[in-house]
Amino acid sequence: RELADGLDSAGVATRRRFLMQSNGGVMPLAAAGEGTGVAHTLLSGPAAGVQGCAHLIGSGQGVETLVTLDMGGTSCDIAFIEDGRALEATQGRIAERDVHLPMLDVNTISAGGGTIARVDAARQPVVGPDSAGADPGPACYGGGGTEPTVTDADLLCGYLNPDHFLGGRQRLDRNAAAAAIERAVAKPMGLVAATAALGIVRLINGRMADEIRVLAAKKAVDLRGFTLVPFGGAGPVHAAMVAAELGIVRVLVPPHPGAFSALGLLCSDVLHDYVRSALGAFEAMPPEEVEARFAELEVRARTDLTAEGFDADGADFERELDLRYAGQGYELRTKLTGPGTRPVTDDGLARLRARFDDLHEAYHGHAARDAQVETVSYRLRARMEVAKVEPVRVDPRDDPEPAPTAIRSAMFEDGMAHETPIHDRSALSAGHALQGPAIVEQFDTTTVVPPGWRVSVDAYANLMIERED
C-alpha cells in the first residue's frame, strides 16, 4: 500500500501495476495489499531472474535445458530449467520457517562477491557463510571493510579491472585486497597472497559446483547437455570455472547480467495458484468428483481475475494433483494434460496415474506401478498472458574482431599467470569470436574466459563460452 501511495505521489500513472511472485508470475499490486497476497513475494527477486531466463533464453531462443547461477554480493541462487520451464516446488523454508506456497525451485547458498574467507582452527581455509555485504563491503571497496572476500580474491587474480569497476565509477584498491588476504589467509598458511587468492577462488567455485551437483541428483536432472547461464554482478566472473568443475561445456552470458533479474520482471504472466486439500484413494475417485473440485477452484480464479479487471474468459487454467503411493509421507505434483482432462474422464485419470509412476521413477529411481495411490491435494493455476519483453536478434556486422583494450596478467586453475587480452563488450558484435584466456568487461559485470575455452557472440548478443576439445 505504501508503494502504491508512493507511485501515486510521484505521478506514475500506469494502467496496471504488477508485483513479482515467488512462482515466476506477477499479480496486480493491489492484490498484495489485500490479505495474504504478500506471502507470495518472499522469493520474488531470485524468481524473476529464473523466469527471465526461462522466457528469454529457454522458450525465446530455444536453449531449453539450463542451470542458472545468480551470483551477487552475498549469495548465489541456483535453479534448473527443463523444456523451457523452470522447475517448481510446492513449499520452501525461509528464515527457519516453513512456507507452504508454490514457488520456483530456487536454492540459495552463501557464495557471493562479499563472502568472507578465513583460516579456521584446524588451519584450513574456509569461505563463508558470512558476508561483508555492501557496507562496509570487500576490503578493495575502500569502505572500511578489512576482511578478505571473494571479490578481493578476484581482483588479486587479475579478473577485475581496478579502474573499470562499474564502468569506472568506482575504483578498487588492489593493495587493500592484498593486505587483507595476506593477513587473514596467506600468512597463517605460509603462502603468498596471490596463491591464497587463487585458493579462495577455487574454494568458492568448488562450493557452487558441489551444490549444483547435489541439487541435480535430488531433482533427477542429468547435467549432460545443459547450458550454464550466469547472471548477477559476479556470476560471469566464475561461471566458466564452475562449468569446468561440473563437466558442462557451454556457458551463455546474457547481454546485461547485472540487471537480468530486473529484466525478468518484464517476462512474466499474471499467475494465481489455488490449492485444495482432499486426501483420498486415487482409484476410488469418480471422474465427475474430480471435475467438480477443479470447477470450484476455477470459479474462485475467475472471480479473482474479474475483480482485478481481467477478462477471465481469456485465462488459461492448468490442473494438477498431488499424488503419492499409499503410506508415503511425500507427494509429487502431477499435471493433467491431454485428452480426458477437460472434463476429466476415466481415460484421463488412467493417463495421469501412468504419468505419476513415470515421475516417481525419474525422481526416486523406482516406481510401484501396481501399488495403490493417494490423492493429497488439487491444484489450479490461472494464467493470464500479458505483454512481455522478447529476445531481439542482432545482425552480424562485417567489422573485424576488435583489438583488445589492454593486456592484464591473470591467474587461472593451472596456477600460472597468463597475459590475458581485455575486451570491451560493447565493441563485440554477432559473429565475433575470441580464444581464451580472455576477459570481457562491461558496466555491470566482467566475463572471464579461462584457457581452453573460446567465446563468441551469438545472434542474440549473448556471449557463448564453449570448451574446446
Side-chain angles (χ1 to χ4, degrees), residues 59 119 137 287 317 339 355 376 405 408 410 424 461 465-466:
S59 58
V119 175
F317 298 101
R355 191 174 302 115
V376 179
T405 58
R408 187 165 69 240
D424 183 346
I465 308 171
E466 296 175 291

Side-chain angles (χ1 to χ4, degrees), residues 207-246:
R207 185 171 183 180
M208 289 186 283
D210 285 345
E211 186 71 14
I212 292 172
R213 194 178 290 113
V214 169
L215 291 171
K218 287 181 178 179
K219 303 174 195 311
V221 169
D222 184 352
L223 289 173
R224 290 174 297 182
F226 269 66
T227 297
L228 181 65
V229 180
F231 47 96
V237 177
H238 294 262
M241 293 178 279
V242 173
E245 292 253 0
L246 293 167

Side-chain angles (χ1 to χ4, degrees), residues 70 74 80 96 119 123 147 207 264 266 311 324 405 467:
D70 180 2
T74 59
F80 297 97
E96 304 305 317
V119 175
R123 297 179 60 82
E147 300 294 335
R207 185 171 183 180
L266 306 179
D311 179 4
R324 67 187 183 192
T405 58
R467 187 109 189 219

Side-chain angles (χ1 to χ4, degrees), residues 47-61:
V50 176
Q51 177 59 26
C53 192
H55 174 71
L56 290 172
I57 300 171
S59 58
Q61 300 175 32

Side-chain angles (χ1 to χ4, degrees), residues 394-466:
V394 293
D395 294 327
R397 299 199 305 251
D398 294 330
D399 304 345
E401 291 166 6
T405 58
I407 303 290
R408 187 165 69 240
S409 179
M411 293 181 64
F412 293 94
E413 287 290 317
D414 58 7
M416 304 293 291
H418 295 257
E419 292 301 301
T420 304
I422 312 301
H423 291 267
D424 183 346
R425 184 163 185 177
S426 64
L428 300 175
S429 61
H432 284 164
L434 307 168
Q435 295 296 125
I439 292 175
V440 181
E441 296 178 342
Q442 62 189 95
F443 172 79
D444 55 325
T445 194
T446 297
T447 299
V448 175
V449 184
W453 295 71
R454 70 189 299 271
V455 58
S456 58
V457 184
D458 71 7
Y460 293 94
N462 302 305
L463 295 180
M464 191 68 75
I465 308 171
E466 296 175 291

Side-chain angles (χ1 to χ4, degrees), residues 14-257:
T14 56
R15 189 166 61 91
R16 287 197 176 99
R17 295 167 178 167
F18 296 108
L19 195 64
M20 190 68 197
Q21 300 182 90
S22 307
N23 64 4
V26 296
M27 63 173 137
L29 181 58
E34 300 171 359
T36 61
V38 70
H40 291 270
T41 71
L42 286 168
L43 286 179
S44 57
V50 176
Q51 177 59 26
C53 192
H55 174 71
L56 290 172
I57 300 171
S59 58
Q61 300 175 32
V63 189
E64 295 190 330
T65 51
L66 307 166
V67 53
T68 66
L69 187 78
D70 180 2
M71 185 179 181
T74 59
S75 64
C76 175
D77 299 309
I78 298 163
F80 297 97
I81 295 168
E82 289 189 296
D83 299 323
R85 298 189 66 170
L87 299 190
E88 298 183 41
T90 57
Q91 63 186 61
R93 190 165 177 80
I94 302 172
E96 304 305 317
R97 295 179 183 271
D98 291 326
V99 180
H100 292 269
L101 293 171
M103 58 185 68
L104 296 190
D105 198 354
V106 180
N107 296 269
T108 302
I109 61 173
S110 56
T115 302
I116 295 172
R118 60 174 58 84
V119 175
D120 65 14
R123 297 179 60 82
Q124 296 297 313
V126 294
V127 184
D130 50 338
S131 172
D135 184 15
C140 62
Y141 279 14
T146 59
E147 300 294 335
T149 68
V150 171
T151 296
D152 294 308
D154 288 341
L155 178 61
L156 222 57
C157 286
Y159 307 147
L160 304 181
N161 184 344
D163 300 317
H164 197 273
F165 201 67
L166 291 179
R169 298 186 185 185
Q170 179 176 351
R171 195 178 189 287
L172 301 181
D173 188 339
R174 195 176 190 279
N175 291 333
I181 292 175
E182 171 72 25
R183 173 186 54 79
V185 181
K187 189 174 181 180
M189 298 191 67
L191 303 173
V192 298
T195 302
L198 183 58
I200 293 169
V201 170
R202 284 172 171 163
L203 281 173
I204 203 69
N205 291 341
R207 185 171 183 180
M208 289 186 283
D210 285 345
E211 186 71 14
I212 292 172
R213 194 178 290 113
V214 169
L215 291 171
K218 287 181 178 179
K219 303 174 195 311
V221 169
D222 184 352
L223 289 173
R224 290 174 297 182
F226 269 66
T227 297
L228 181 65
V229 180
F231 47 96
V237 177
H238 294 262
M241 293 178 279
V242 173
E245 292 253 0
L246 293 167
I248 292 176
V249 299
R250 187 168 57 250
V251 175
L252 186 154
V253 184
H256 302 289

